[in-house]
Every structure is written in structure tokens, then in C-alpha cells.
Amino acid sequence: MLVLMLVLTGCSGRSSGHDTATPVRSEPPTSATPATTPPPPVAPLTGIAGDPTTAVRPVLVVKIDNVAQAHPQSGINQADVVYEELVENSSTRLMALFQSTDAGPIGPVRSARPTDVLLFTPLNRPLFAWSGANTWVRAMIGDANIVDVGNTPAVDQYYRDSTREAPHNLFIQSYTSMLANHQEDAGAPSSLLAYRSPADPLGAGAHPVGSVHIEWGGYGGNAPVDYLWDANIGGWQRFQSGEAHLDTDGVQVAPPNVVIQFVAYASTAGIPDGQLLGQGSAWVLTAGSLIEGTWTKPAPDAPTQFVDTTGAPIKLSPGRTWVALAPPDSASITG
């Protein structure tokens, strides 16, 4: 009986001084890696952060009349980018690009020109709104990589303003309506221009200017055009033929950026054709300053690049841009 009690005592669960088990240690809590919120997408034609649903929408390209009978125009202050190109009789015509905003109505819509093709080709199959063209220009448009929403195939999206005289009275209802009805297989554009953050320098050789004057020619048309910097609104107020360029809402055109791209024009059947391939000189107006540089476009589908005298890209202020495809030596600093 005594032996049995000793055996039972030795088998008890008490720890002895010879126990070699490693005690379990509790690890200190680790701080979770904070979730990073991706930056909002940037509108490809303005450089402004915006809605992800609009950042991937196609571009609606609209040819807009710009003679005196066509004023005031609708939609020009909602366009992301507006090109001004030389047409017959020293007149100019506008090509407006809509992507980030829901503009409407837009017009007056007018006919296409050969210069248009190299402007819209880099936009990844945009919708192109126009009101016709000469036979050979029409063939160029037909061969282009676009979704044709001219007033013949997309007649349901156009109307005539009875208060104006033809041909200066054709308007598009709206960007969103055109997109909803005729988007088909249009693509989303890549970035067209370079933009800077507030900390970025303006560029080599940037110097303040107050105003710039552009002569498009002497006969008829819209010569001259002036841009006047207004620091209160952060934009270049546009004047055409000496008068403030107003839209149908009475708002003056005053984009944050103006690019003067000096372009030679050839004449084909009496129609000016901007020579947009290759390179040339350029003036970039942004943030109250002028940066002289060079433009380069090596291929039809390549966007035009603008660089300063050191070869660095010229970066614009985020926002709308007007691009004047002006003849060489047609611009001067006036203030």
C-alpha cells in the first residue's frame, strides 16, 4: 500500500524543477498597413481630376462655324480643347473637343476641312460631327478612324435654329444625347497635352506677358484675334475682330491655356490645308506667362508634343486649352 501511494504521488500533474517545456509568449499586436486610396482619375483632355465614369468616355469632335454670322456660338466654353484653323478668305473655323463635360446645345456646326484629319486621328476613334465637305475632303473623312456622327448619319441629333439664317443655324442637341445614341465602337482618348502641378516650374524661358495678337489675314474673316491675361479669373480673355468673344450665355471665352502653333498651309483646290506633320515653332501662354518652344508631330496618330528650349515638355495649367494653328510669323506680343 505504501509503494502504491508513492507511485501515485510521483505521477501527479505538478511541475518539477526539471520541466523543459518552453513557455508560450504572446506577440505584441502589429499595426495594420493603412489602406491607400487611389488618386481620382484625371480627365485626359484637361488634366483635372474627375469622375471615373467620364474619364473613359469618347471624345465628341465638332466643327463649329466662326464667321460673324455664326456668333454667338453655343458650347465653346464647355469644350475641353478648341482648335482654331485657317479656312478660305482668311476666315477661321473651330474644332471643339468635348469629353469631360456634358455640353449642349453645340454649334453652329459647319463643314470639314483637310486639316481636321490629323487633329482628330490621335483621339482613338472619336465621334466626329460635321455638316459635309467637298468631295475629296469627304473621301478623307470616310477613310478616317472615326465614328461618323455628321448631320446625315446622325440627323436625329441635329436641329435648325429658326432665329438664324442658314447655313449658320445647325446645332447638336447635346454631347450626352449624341453619345447615348451613336457611341458604337468609339474609344476613350489618351492624354493629349501635358499638365503640371502647382509645384512644377513653368518651363525654360517663361516670362510674363499681358496680351498677344494674332493676324489670320487681311480679307474678310476674323482677323485679328487677341488674348489678354486676366489674373482675377486665371484665364486669357479672347477678343475677335476687336470685340469680346462671347458665347450664347454672354460669357467671354477665357481659357487658362492658349497654344499658338505656327503652321504652314498648303492650298488644295483653293482650300487651306494645315501642314501638321513634322515640327515648327510654338508659343504657349499659361499662368500669365509665355513660353517659346517647338512643336513636333512625327506620325498621324501621334499627339503633338510641345517642348521648351531645353527639350523638356511644356506643361499647361490644368483646365481648358485653345490652340491657334496660326500661319508663321502671325503673332506678336502686345502687352
Side-chain angles (χ1 to χ4, degrees):
M1 180 66 70
L2 180 59
V3 174
L4 180 59
M5 292 177 65
L6 292 172
V7 171
L8 292 173
T9 302
C11 293
S12 68
R14 296 176 181 175
S15 175
S16 69
H18 301 285
D19 193 343
T20 59
T22 303
V24 177
R25 296 179 179 179
S26 60
E27 297 293 332
T30 57
S31 59
T33 302
T36 57
T37 302
V42 173
L45 304 186
T46 65
I48 297 176
D51 187 336
T53 61
T54 62
V56 295
R57 298 192 301 188
V59 179
L60 172 63
V61 180
V62 185
K63 286 306 299 291
I64 297 180
D65 202 354
N66 196 38
V67 295
Q69 300 91 320
H71 286 209
Q73 301 136 319
S74 294
I76 53 173
N77 277 323
Q78 286 71 50
D80 294 334
V81 179
V82 177
Y83 292 95
E84 184 172 17
E85 62 186 75
L86 186 66
V87 293
E88 301 88 313
N89 298 327
S90 298
S91 295
T92 64
R93 193 156 290 177
L94 308 179
M95 174 188 275
L97 312 185
F98 298 88
Q99 197 269 343
S100 68
T101 56
D102 299 327
I106 303 169
V109 180
R110 287 302 302 273
S111 56
R113 291 295 183 272
T115 307
D116 303 339
V117 177
L118 290 178
L119 292 176
F120 61 53
T121 297
L123 296 173
N124 188 24
R125 195 166 171 80
L127 292 80
F128 183 49
W130 52 306
S131 65
N134 288 356
T135 302
W136 63 277
V137 177
R138 189 184 295 272
M140 293 175 64
I141 303 300
D143 291 337
N145 187 28
I146 59 167
V147 176
D148 186 355
V149 291
N151 71 314
T152 299
V155 64
D156 56 325
Q157 296 304 310
Y158 291 79
Y159 70 93
R160 295 279 181 181
D161 183 344
S162 60
T163 65
R164 302 183 183 223
E165 294 185 2
H168 315 289
N169 63 347
L170 182 65
F171 287 80
I172 293 171
Q173 295 177 20
S174 70
Y175 168 87
T176 50
S177 179
M178 183 71 82
L179 188 65
N181 286 276
H182 301 280
Q183 181 173 350
E184 301 177 17
D185 58 341
S190 300
S191 297
L192 193 61
L193 299 162
Y195 299 93
R196 70 175 187 279
S197 66
D200 291 335
L202 287 178
H207 56 95
V209 297
S211 57
V212 172
H213 177 88
I214 306 172
E215 286 283 350
W216 289 94
Y219 174 74
N222 309 295
V225 168
D226 294 275
Y227 286 100
L228 176 66
W229 173 247
D230 186 336
N232 293 323
I233 62 172
W236 299 90
Q237 293 180 324
R238 177 180 163 95
F239 296 84
Q240 187 164 296
S241 295
E243 298 181 356
H245 190 169
L246 308 178
D247 66 7
T248 49
D249 293 324
V251 178
Q252 185 171 8
V253 175
N257 308 294
V258 175
V259 177
I260 305 174
Q261 181 180 347
F262 295 102
V263 172
Y265 284 84
S267 180
T268 305
I271 297 176
D273 184 2
Q275 305 301 289
L276 301 182
L277 287 177
Q279 67 178 25
S281 58
W283 289 4
V284 176
L285 303 172
T286 186
S289 293
L290 184 151
I291 307 161
E292 296 187 37
T294 302
W295 65 266
T296 304
K297 183 177 176 67
D301 60 349
T304 302
Q305 303 291 320
F306 298 91
V307 299
D308 62 23
T309 54
T310 69
I314 299 175
K315 296 182 178 181
L316 306 178
S317 303
R320 296 179 296 112
T321 301
W322 278 56
V323 182
L325 302 175
D329 302 318
S330 61
S332 58
I333 299 171
T334 53

